Amino acid sequence: RTWLSFCRRRPAPRRRPPRPSRLAATLSSEATATSSRAPPRAPPNEAKRLWKELMFVGRTWPGGLKQVRDVAKPQFMAKRDERDAAVLEREFRKVRFIIGEMMAYHKLHKYRQLRKRYDTDSDWESPADAAVRLAKEAHARC
């Protein structure tokens, strides 16, 4: 190849024509559907997405990922045949709440560890350390 071949303007890549969106197909099929159709369900990926997120957050849980999986799997499996959208949405809200609580616990633990490690100026102690200290003091008095 010569130097000029690199400077030459290349043709734009060919693009496929846009496909009709799934939403448009869904809306057009709903308009022609009869009333005997099944009620709308939650997105099929929602349960899988929440499960993956729960497992990701569960890695930092004190009992470990195995404990989180052992507790969560029976609860997920109990609702696997559920078809009612309202019930599924309620269950999804519960899982989202649990994930939020686990994330809050993780952030609190991280904050306490950082404060314990780097905040040497203050006399702050974690609640766990305070409980250990109080137990030792009570044992020394006996």
Side-chain angles (χ1 to χ4, degrees):
R1 294 183 130 186
T2 65
W3 179 80
L4 286 174
S5 65
F6 287 107
C7 296
R8 188 178 47 190
R9 186 175 178 161
R10 302 213 190 288
R14 282 194 243 161
R15 295 186 180 178
R16 285 191 262 166
R19 296 188 318 188
S21 69
R22 290 182 182 170
L23 179 61
T26 305
L27 292 176
S28 65
S29 66
E30 284 179 3
T32 60
T34 62
S35 61
S36 64
R37 200 172 128 179
R41 293 184 59 195
N45 312 16
E46 184 70 10
K48 186 185 275 188
R49 187 187 65 76
L50 287 172
W51 175 261
K52 286 181 180 181
E53 193 172 345
L54 188 64
M55 293 299 109
F56 182 79
V57 174
R59 294 184 312 169
T60 58
W61 191 248
L65 181 60
K66 184 175 181 344
Q67 181 192 14
V68 173
R69 189 181 294 119
D70 291 345
V71 171
K73 188 170 184 175
Q75 295 175 357
F76 268 76
M77 288 296 139
K79 299 292 181 179
R80 71 178 170 209
D81 295 327
E82 187 63 50
R83 296 288 183 244
D84 186 15
V87 173
L88 285 174
E89 185 55 38
R90 188 175 66 233
E91 296 299 322
F92 290 158
R93 268 189 269 134
K94 286 180 188 176
V95 175
R96 286 187 204 109
F97 175 78
I98 290 169
I99 290 171
E101 290 292 312
M102 291 174 78
M103 290 172 72
Y105 176 83
H106 173 70
K107 288 177 183 177
L108 179 65
H109 177 72
K110 185 175 167 183
Y111 167 75
R112 285 180 177 167
Q113 290 299 316
L114 287 171
R115 187 161 180 180
K116 182 178 174 182
R117 195 172 296 152
Y118 296 112
D119 193 9
T120 57
D121 299 337
S122 70
D123 56 349
W124 181 87
E125 64 180 339
S126 72
D129 294 339
V132 169
R133 181 181 50 79
L134 291 173
K136 286 181 181 178
E137 289 174 3
H139 184 66
R141 279 183 275 182
C142 293

